[in-house]
Amino acid sequence: MSGKEGSGGFRKRKHDNFPHGQRREEKENVNPSSPLMTSFKSFQLELDTRHDKYERLVKLSRDITIESKRTIFLLHRYISAPNGEEVLNESEIKLDAVRRKIKQVAQELIGEDMYQFHRAISPGLQEYIEAVSFQYFIKTRSLISVEEINKQLIFTAEDREETTNVTSSSQDKQPHTWSLKVTPVDYLLGVADLTGELMRLCISSVGNGDIDTPFELSQFLRQIYDGFTFIGNTGPYEVSKKLYTLKQSLAKVENACYTLKVRGSEIPKHMLADVFSTKTELIDQEEGLS
């Protein structure tokens, strides 16, 4: 047995050589106003402030995600609703409420590096991009660009400062501007999620007797898929992971178009939706087995 080991065969730690009373006296003799302790207190305050801000951003991102999902559910009623303009107007009101939440995020990030808090706000931004691009497609049958999304995320407000003994000609209103720029990765991930909603739109439109929309969606999804294939595995991991889901959505829409083209005249219109839902379930089972 070596000299570093005790009677029980366990190695002693270095601080075991000092009595407990001596260590207690050293703690009591620490000067709280020393430069070292002051530095560590400032570090503690900075870390606590940053963690609190991170938690606030996570809550805001969760609220943005929830409201964006509700907007998407509302937009799916556009085809079956008797007045589609009312659905679009209501969705615009909901998106304005989502932008007010994003404005709070922009205010929280004033003077901060956005990428340090990107993981906290990224899920909400992706869901917002999915909702606003879905609405844009229903209106224009095209894909919204990241520049147009960023234009909608520029917020202005007037901060009125009340001062005493100041004339009305002096500055009583100071315009402030907040903005939040969507990163290219968040934009790509939001567009990839959009393809799933377009696939659902295709199936629901066939159920309502709309035969032209599936072929239009098939061409649109093919263009998006071709764009993503140019990125391939060179992009971020999240983008390449979404590519598989995008391919599934495209396959379901193309399968619906094939059924319409080949057997559309044989199947009654009120049964087309059931046929497509059955076929999509079979595709999912085959992909799960493979």
Side-chain angles (χ1 to χ4, degrees):
M1 184 181 296
S2 62
K4 293 183 180 180
E5 297 179 356
S7 59
F10 296 100
R11 182 170 301 190
K12 287 187 177 182
R13 292 174 291 185
K14 291 184 178 180
H15 62 267
D16 288 341
N17 296 325
F18 300 94
H20 292 283
Q22 183 178 351
R23 280 183 287 166
R24 190 179 299 112
E25 291 177 359
E26 290 177 356
K27 292 181 180 180
E28 293 176 355
N29 293 331
V30 173
N31 185 10
S33 60
S34 64
L36 181 62
M37 294 300 296
T38 304
S39 299
F40 273 95
K41 286 181 180 179
S42 64
F43 297 155
Q44 179 186 4
L45 180 61
E46 182 179 354
L47 288 174
D48 290 342
T49 304
R50 187 173 297 275
H51 291 161
D52 293 341
K53 179 173 291 191
Y54 192 93
E55 291 299 323
R56 290 196 300 270
L57 290 173
V58 169
K59 292 178 182 179
L60 286 172
S61 177
R62 192 180 300 119
D63 295 339
I64 292 170
T65 301
I66 293 172
E67 292 300 325
S68 299
K69 285 183 179 295
R70 290 174 179 173
T71 305
I72 293 172
F73 295 153
L74 173 65
L75 288 170
H76 276 293
R77 292 166 42 199
Y78 175 79
I79 295 179
S80 59
N83 190 356
E85 290 297 327
E86 293 183 359
V87 176
L88 291 177
N89 293 333
E90 188 176 352
S91 67
E92 189 63 33
I93 294 174
K94 288 184 175 294
L95 287 177
D96 286 338
V98 175
R99 293 187 190 101
R100 286 194 291 270
K101 293 287 185 181
I102 297 178
K103 179 182 178 181
Q104 297 180 25
V105 174
Q107 291 173 342
E108 289 282 354
L109 294 177
I110 293 176
E112 300 284 354
D113 184 5
M114 189 193 75
Y115 288 95
Q116 292 185 356
F117 301 94
H118 183 252
R119 292 186 63 183
I121 62 177
S122 180
L125 290 179
Q126 293 176 30
E127 200 69 32
Y128 167 75
I129 293 168
E130 181 182 356
V132 73
S133 58
F134 190 34
Q135 185 202 49
Y136 190 86
F137 176 81
I138 292 176
K139 288 181 178 180
T140 63
R141 297 297 178 179
S142 59
L143 181 64
I144 190 172
S145 64
V146 65
E147 290 81 11
E148 293 176 350
I149 293 177
N150 287 329
K151 286 180 182 178
Q152 298 175 358
L153 300 183
I154 299 176
F155 312 101
T156 58
E158 291 180 351
D159 183 15
R160 300 185 179 182
E161 295 182 353
E162 298 181 357
T163 57
T164 58
N165 300 326
V166 178
T167 60
S168 60
S169 60
S170 63
Q171 61 175 31
D172 57 347
K173 295 182 181 180
Q174 292 184 349
H176 290 270
T177 302
W178 299 278
S179 64
L180 184 67
K181 288 188 177 181
V182 173
T183 63
V185 175
D186 288 336
Y187 174 74
L188 290 175
L189 294 177
V191 172
D193 292 334
L194 169 68
T195 59
E197 303 303 329
L198 294 179
M199 182 269 297
R200 296 180 185 91
L201 180 66
C202 170
I203 303 302
S204 60
S205 63
V206 172
N208 291 323
D210 187 0
I211 308 300
D212 298 328
T213 299
F215 294 95
E216 185 178 0
L217 290 173
S218 176
Q219 295 179 359
F220 183 73
L221 289 176
R222 171 58 63 179
Q223 293 176 357
I224 294 179
Y225 179 75
D226 291 341
F228 271 84
T229 53
F230 283 122
I231 301 174
N233 295 328
T234 60
Y237 170 73
E238 294 86 356
V239 175
S240 59
K241 188 177 180 181
K242 293 280 187 180
L243 186 62
Y244 178 72
T245 306
L246 196 160
K247 187 177 181 180
Q248 284 182 319
S249 300
L250 177 61
K252 293 175 184 178
V253 173
E254 288 180 341
N255 181 72
C257 294
Y258 171 79
T259 305
L260 282 175
K261 199 72 174 178
V262 176
R263 301 185 58 194
S265 60
E266 302 175 1
I267 305 173
K269 289 186 177 181
H270 66 278
M271 296 178 60
L272 287 175
D274 296 335
V275 173
F276 291 151
S277 60
T278 304
K279 285 183 174 295
T280 52
E281 289 177 359
L282 292 175
I283 293 176
D284 293 337
Q285 292 177 1
E286 291 177 357
E287 291 175 346
L289 292 175
S290 60

